[in-house]
Amino acid sequence: MISREDWINMRVLFCSDAMIVDGVTSFVFHLSTALKEAGHDVAVLGRWAGKGFQPRLKERGVKVIQCLSPSVSNIWFDKKAAEFNPDVIITDSRRSFPLATRLKNITNAKVFTFFLDSLEKTERKGRDIASLVKFSDVWLSAEKPLLEELQKIPTSFPKIHLQRPLKGLFTPTPIPWKDPFRVLSFGRISKFKSAASLSLLHNALYMKKRIPSLEMVFVGGGWRTLKFRMLAAKCNYQAKSEFIRIVGTQIDPQKWIEWSTLVCAGSTSAIEATLANRPVVACTGYYLGLLTPEKFGEAFSTYFAERGGKLLSEDPDLVVKEILRTYDQWEDLNMNETVNSFRIQVEPSFERENVARKFQAVFEQINND
């Protein structure tokens, strides 16, 4: 393990096709800020496309290089990348990869390509498997099952598991008492991933009758947001109570997690809520249920209901049933102890400084080969 005294200063440039809040830009935010905290010079370069993590990146000392651009690449980006003179370019395997390839030819930096999903859409020029192999110097994945898939592709360079550096970005706060019962649906509103959120809206009036103190907030953007706002308005009108809010994209959801009594989320959002010390019903298009210490292994093997579990399309009301059960059995579930125990189990897998150490070790390994 590299000691702090042996760390070298690296110039690390992240490529981001569009700086909107999504899974790719979230990973860029998590890793770039961890590397900055470790003392490296870090910049994020990409097209401006609306509300994103730019303010939070700047607050943490990460340089943001952005402009309006109809294309992923442009001459101005070439100039700015050359001026930054990176040692490492970090890119996702999809939208930003052609930009990283172009900037590698300009700067001669090493390209670290990260994979957040299984290989797909590789038929697109510049993002095909041959290009991913030819222009990468390292492949990274935050999930071991994905890394196992990547290992099947022969390469001359290493493939590394690099955990998401999430711990410390969210402050754990005490769980409120169950009344008022505040449910936070946290995650991007897309057709597959919002199956659970849609079920909550369809069953909102029934849940309000069962739990009179119920309040619900939906955090997350996407093309279905308008549909969610219309459904929420209809429910609020029928209930004669503004108990549902659709707040859209939030670049820092900490205040909403603190507001919540229970969070419905999957994937990285579920991990963030767990680290913030909230009960989590894990769900996306899949369903895992209330996260407890007994579900630790299943949570990681499905990446917190992102990759597997029960399909919600087969029983859309599973999430509603689980929320009502959790409310009814709140005391029996010993919620404070359950949530605290699960959080303590999860935290070591998302340490920040360990990620920076491993990143430098990988960089030195490929430079010495």
Side-chain angles (χ1 to χ4, degrees), residues 12 70 98 101 122 169-171 184 193 204 227-228 233 237-238 245 259 367:
V12 184
T101 298
T122 54
L169 292 176
F170 286 81
T171 304
L184 173 64
K193 294 187 177 182
K227 177 180 181 179
F228 274 51
Y237 176 79
Q238 292 178 343
R245 283 179 286 171
W259 168 89
N367 270 351

Side-chain angles (χ1 to χ4, degrees), residues 110-157:
K110 303 294 186 183
V111 170
F112 285 34
T113 306
F114 62 85
F115 294 77
L116 298 182
D117 293 292
S118 298
L119 278 172
E120 57 183 35
K121 299 180 181 178
T122 54
E123 73 284 353
R124 300 190 182 185
K125 185 178 180 180
R127 300 162 44 170
D128 55 282
I129 293 176
S131 296
L132 290 168
V133 172
K134 180 179 179 180
F135 295 107
S136 297
D137 295 281
V138 176
W139 281 356
L140 305 170
S141 179
E143 300 174 54
K144 289 183 178 178
L146 292 183
L147 192 64
E148 291 172 3
E149 291 182 27
L150 298 176
Q151 296 288 9
K152 297 174 184 177
I153 300 173
T155 63
S156 59
F157 52 76

